[in-house]
Amino acid sequence: MEMVEKIKQRMKAFYGENPPVDEQVKHTLDVTDYTVRLAKLMGLDQRQTDLLAIAALLHDVGCPKARELYGKALPPYQENFGREIAEEWLADYAELSADERTWLANVVGYHHHPRQATEMGFRPLFEADTIVNMYEGYYKQGQEQHVYDTLLETDEGRSLFAEMFLKK
């Protein structure tokens, strides 16, 4: 989808103005790649996969403002700022319906919440972010089984996570 590529370029430019650039862009692109991979494995249609890719590209846009105002990007801060930024950005895309723009902004605003991930239908993004966060060391070594048991619900996410972190 052309819109996904446009948002990807806008995200890269946005983070280019808001350090730490390299880590944030890499994280966001990794989460997007895993989100799309999981969505396809789950058999989601192209439109839903594209919407999830957009949500993944936007999921951490609140981090720079949270760091600027609070010195850190804790989930509540980044989610609140992220929702506002997502709403502003998404208004520029006529290809999205009003319901899709609202859903995307809400996903950004709840992307750390497992219950909302299930209820709102963004499990692939939540699980992709969990996988990338584990890989990046957000969770301490030794927590792999706990993360697997408590945060992952889908067979696809659990299988990918186990392959990456629970090798025996």
Side-chain angles (χ1 to χ4, degrees):
M1 174 187 248
E2 186 177 317
M3 181 175 40
V4 173
E5 192 56 39
K6 287 180 186 176
I7 291 173
K8 183 184 289 185
Q9 295 310 314
R10 187 171 185 177
M11 178 273 303
K12 287 179 179 179
F14 173 78
Y15 285 125
E17 300 165 6
N18 296 283
V21 178
D22 292 341
E23 294 136 21
Q24 190 66 62
V25 170
K26 181 174 180 354
H27 171 83
T28 300
L29 293 176
D30 287 347
V31 170
T32 303
D33 289 345
Y34 281 112
T35 297
V36 169
R37 182 176 175 182
L38 290 172
K40 287 180 178 181
L41 287 170
M42 293 170 70
L44 299 181
D45 67 35
Q46 190 60 52
R47 182 66 175 187
Q48 189 61 31
T49 299
D50 288 343
L51 290 171
L52 285 162
I54 292 166
L57 289 166
L58 297 175
H59 83 280
D60 278 345
V61 295
C63 289
K65 189 169 183 179
R67 282 190 205 100
E68 176 187 326
L69 293 176
Y70 298 105
K72 50 189 153 190
L74 293 174
Y77 304 145
Q78 65 167 276
E79 289 173 335
N80 289 335
F81 294 130
R83 182 191 330 261
E84 293 171 11
I85 293 167
E87 287 172 348
E88 178 184 319
W89 283 22
L90 294 167
D92 295 339
Y93 297 93
E95 308 96 299
L96 295 168
S97 71
D99 286 345
E100 289 171 333
R101 287 192 298 274
T102 298
W103 181 81
L104 286 161
N106 284 331
V107 169
V108 172
Y110 287 110
H111 74 271
H112 290 110
H113 300 262
R115 190 182 82 222
Q116 280 79 6
T118 301
E119 291 173 0
M120 294 171 58
F122 64 91
R123 259 284 148 193
L125 167 58
F126 178 85
E127 295 189 5
D129 198 25
T130 301
I131 288 167
V132 174
N133 285 339
M134 176 59 79
Y135 180 78
E136 293 175 345
Y138 179 80
Y139 301 105
K140 295 177 185 167
Q141 279 191 324
Q143 287 188 314
E144 294 87 353
Q145 189 65 52
H146 176 73
V147 169
Y148 177 88
D149 292 340
T150 61
L151 295 179
L152 303 172
E153 284 184 3
T154 68
D155 291 341
E156 297 80 4
R158 291 170 68 86
S159 176
L160 183 58
F161 187 93
E163 179 182 310
M164 293 175 69
F165 304 110
L166 299 177
K167 298 175 188 170
K168 306 235 175 170

